[in-house]
Amino acid sequence: MSGARISSGRAGAGDSAPRKQGRSLAALGYTKPQTYEELRAVLSSGTVHFPKRLRQVAIFLWQHPSAVALGTIAQVADQAGVQPSTLVRFAQIFGYAGFSDFQGLFKDHMKGSWPERTDAERPAEPNADLHFLNGMVGASQTSLGRIGSGFDIDSFEKMADLLARAELIYVIGSKRAFPVTTYLSLTLSQQGVRNVLVDNVGSTALDQVGCIGPRDAVLAVSFSPYNSITPDLVAVAHERKARIVTITDSTFSPLVKLSDTWLEVVEQDFAGFRSLAATLAVGMALVHGVVTRRTG
């Protein structure tokens, strides 16, 4: 899912009553979603605005359908950082009596996604360090596998076109995204593509984008919970008419509504640590696309 400008709503109202939100969905012409794909279509429409906690649930459900399918309500609530009652309210918004009925959408979606293993095929329990390593490798493989199953090539090509035409590319990403943007900036430089890595050293990020203009472009990378400086920097670029392309992990990212085009890349986590494999793979392919367009 990518390419659209989506309004993420405001987070200051607190959890509204499910009946009130349910009426707003009905007024918009939505019916009870019968499949996970229908639910995603509603969430990505940009016409449903959730209060803070329900928006937090929506982001988690969007990014972790397998966790929702396999977990108990207590486990899902804990992972999403909300109370179980919030999950119930979210389900009721979409016409379900409770979370267990709503969870069926995710179970049906994930059914058949994992091959069954016999006891003989299961490896012996490794030591703790090897167990964690194998877990991270598995998370990376899952993240990379998602690219092949739903990659938006049209948005990717538009991103490469916009970046290739820019006089100067500003590469923006902070916190967990910073390793990605650092490597992309390095690779662009090695290929002779002028760029600025906005690294915020000395709290100078706003000064670093101070000269951005309409002939420039921004390549931004951001992941939930979206509490970094990146949206503020991209907003400056948007005001100054620079072209903006974004790699992010859901339609709820505040960067989506500021971007000319965007790609969704969702990274799998293991034991609280997220992979970066898919984001790096997409980013390197994007650098290759930019270089090819400039030299072709």
Side-chain angles (χ1 to χ4, degrees):
M1 185 71 197
S2 59
R5 294 178 181 265
I6 305 296
S7 174
S8 59
R10 298 188 63 179
D15 287 353
S16 60
R19 290 183 180 178
K20 180 179 179 181
Q21 186 71 30
R23 286 197 300 270
S24 68
L25 289 179
L28 290 167
Y30 290 116
T31 58
K32 179 179 177 180
Q34 301 298 318
T35 66
Y36 172 75
E37 288 72 22
E38 289 181 7
L39 175 65
R40 277 181 64 100
V42 174
L43 293 177
S44 65
S45 67
T47 55
V48 183
H49 304 294
F50 297 105
K52 182 178 181 179
R53 290 302 180 191
L54 296 181
R55 184 172 182 269
Q56 190 172 329
V57 170
I59 292 172
F60 182 82
L61 267 57
W62 181 282
Q63 296 177 350
H64 304 285
S66 60
V68 178
L70 299 175
T72 65
I73 186 171
Q75 290 169 335
V76 175
D78 181 64
Q79 292 174 335
V82 298
Q83 295 296 318
S85 59
T86 306
L87 295 180
V88 174
R89 289 199 295 274
F90 192 92
Q92 290 172 340
I93 286 174
F94 292 94
Y96 286 85
F99 180 74
S100 59
D101 293 336
F102 181 68
Q103 190 180 33
L105 298 179
F106 296 83
K107 290 181 177 179
D108 291 342
H109 173 68
M110 300 306 299
K111 194 175 295 181
S113 297
W114 302 283
E116 292 293 329
R117 277 179 155 182
T118 65
D119 290 338
E121 293 174 320
R122 291 189 177 92
E125 184 67 22
N127 64 43
D129 293 331
L130 187 56
H131 174 70
F132 182 83
L133 175 60
N134 288 336
M136 288 305 303
V137 170
S140 298
Q141 291 172 335
T142 299
S143 300
L144 291 166
R146 286 173 177 154
I147 295 176
S149 62
F151 190 67
D152 189 338
I153 187 61
D154 292 336
S155 291
F156 178 88
E157 291 181 343
K158 183 178 179 181
M159 290 173 73
D161 289 341
L162 291 175
L163 293 175
R165 293 198 297 266
E167 285 191 3
L168 185 62
I169 299 172
Y170 289 78
V171 189
I172 302 176
S174 56
K175 296 187 177 181
R176 190 168 63 90
F178 188 66
V180 177
T181 54
T182 300
Y183 190 44
L184 297 185
S185 175
L186 171 64
T187 309
L188 285 168
S189 297
Q190 289 174 333
Q191 298 298 317
V193 179
R194 294 178 64 244
N195 72 93
V196 173
L197 173 64
V198 181
D199 55 20
N200 198 31
V201 172
S203 300
T204 59
L206 289 171
D207 297 306
Q208 289 177 307
V209 299
C211 295
I212 196 168
R215 291 181 292 185
D216 301 321
V218 167
L219 168 56
V221 182
S222 179
F223 307 109
S224 64
Y226 316 123
N227 58 358
S228 69
I229 194 175
T230 302
D232 294 333
L233 298 173
V234 173
V236 171
H238 183 264
E239 290 173 0
R240 298 185 181 182
K241 310 301 182 184
R243 309 309 297 266
I244 300 167
V245 303
T246 295
I247 299 173
T248 191
D249 57 1
S250 87
T251 189
F252 297 97
S253 170
L255 300 187
V256 168
K257 62 185 178 182
L258 300 171
S259 301
D260 292 284
T261 189
W262 65 287
L263 277 172
E264 178 186 293
V265 179
V266 179
E267 298 281 6
Q268 185 70 17
D269 66 83
F270 178 77
F273 293 83
R274 290 190 205 174
S275 165
L276 289 174
T279 311
L280 283 167
V282 171
M284 295 313 296
L286 190 57
V287 170
H288 178 268
V290 171
V291 174
T292 299
R293 285 161 173 77
R294 288 194 167 201
T295 59

